[in-house]
Amino acid sequence: IIRDSNNGFGTVTFGSIHPFNLVNQMGEKTTKDDFSGMVWILNVIALDCKENSSCEDVKSMTMSINKQLENNTDIKLVSVIIDKENILGDEFIEFGKELNADLNSWCLLNGRGEELDKMKSKLSGNLSTAIAIDQNGVFRGMYNITKLSEVKKMIKEAKKLI
């Protein structure tokens, strides 16, 4: 990450979130406007990680991030499930239980192929990438969440955006 977060984020950004239209774990239509005015961390996650240790690492680390943000109402974790389209009701609830998700601080999103592809491309198609996004939808940092040091840095820097 190329910026001095100790002295503020300055003008260095990594772009901004494009409009999207997905569905959350409650079955509600969700767009980027639903996160306007808040700091959020965006990543992609897969339901099925059979025989894929890096996918399992991302899932575990995302669970850890959720745990760290559990009592923090100022930062929202937003994970887009990318390996299955149009997840509804019970599947969302089961996946949330599997992740031990605190759904007050963690928003799970899913939708159609085209929308999922747009989100994947924004995250370089990489499960290990997470993006800290400020109140205006501007990307303020990209992090490799398979590395604990990067996760700690991401949480610390996201709190500075509040």
Side-chain angles (χ1 to χ4, degrees):
I1 299 171
I2 305 168
R3 68 176 161 1
D4 183 0
S5 62
N6 293 325
N7 293 317
F9 287 83
T11 59
V12 177
T13 67
F14 298 92
S16 60
I17 191 75
H18 294 292
F20 62 86
N21 185 5
L22 297 169
V23 176
N24 69 16
Q25 69 269 14
M26 305 306 285
E28 302 163 336
K29 178 182 168 186
T30 305
T31 69
K32 76 174 196 166
D33 294 337
D34 293 305
F35 303 105
S36 180
M38 69 175 67
V39 173
W40 46 303
I41 295 169
L42 174 67
N43 78 320
V44 293
I45 194 167
L47 288 172
D48 185 11
C49 291
K50 289 179 187 153
E51 300 177 28
N52 185 338
S53 63
S54 64
C55 175
E56 280 296 338
D57 290 346
V58 168
K59 198 187 282 188
S60 295
M61 198 58 85
T62 305
M63 290 167 63
S64 172
I65 293 166
N66 178 234
K67 193 74 176 158
Q68 292 176 59
L69 296 175
E70 198 168 49
N71 296 316
N72 189 328
T73 57
D74 296 318
I75 302 172
K76 188 88 162 170
L77 175 60
V78 179
S79 295
V80 180
I81 301 168
I82 59 164
D83 64 334
K84 188 169 184 181
E85 292 183 32
N86 296 319
I87 298 173
L88 299 172
D90 291 343
E91 281 185 279
F92 256 134
I93 292 167
E94 285 305 311
F95 189 56
K97 285 180 184 175
E98 178 187 326
L99 294 173
N100 203 18
D102 171 13
L103 299 178
N104 293 317
S105 61
W106 193 353
C107 180
L108 300 172
L109 298 176
N110 190 252
R112 293 193 200 107
E114 183 180 304
E115 288 291 326
L116 295 178
D117 288 343
K118 280 196 285 187
M119 295 302 271
K120 271 194 274 191
S121 70
K122 208 46 169 159
L123 290 158
S124 307
N126 191 338
L127 282 176
S128 64
T129 301
I131 300 173
I133 302 173
D134 72 13
Q135 296 88 336
N136 299 310
V138 176
F139 296 170
R140 292 306 189 142
M142 296 180 84
Y143 307 84
N144 180 342
I145 61 170
T146 61
K147 297 181 179 180
L148 184 58
S149 62
E150 287 278 312
V151 170
K152 287 180 179 180
K153 188 177 195 177
M154 177 182 67
I155 300 273
K156 182 180 175 184
E157 292 179 358
K159 287 179 179 178
K160 289 181 181 181
L161 291 171
I162 298 171

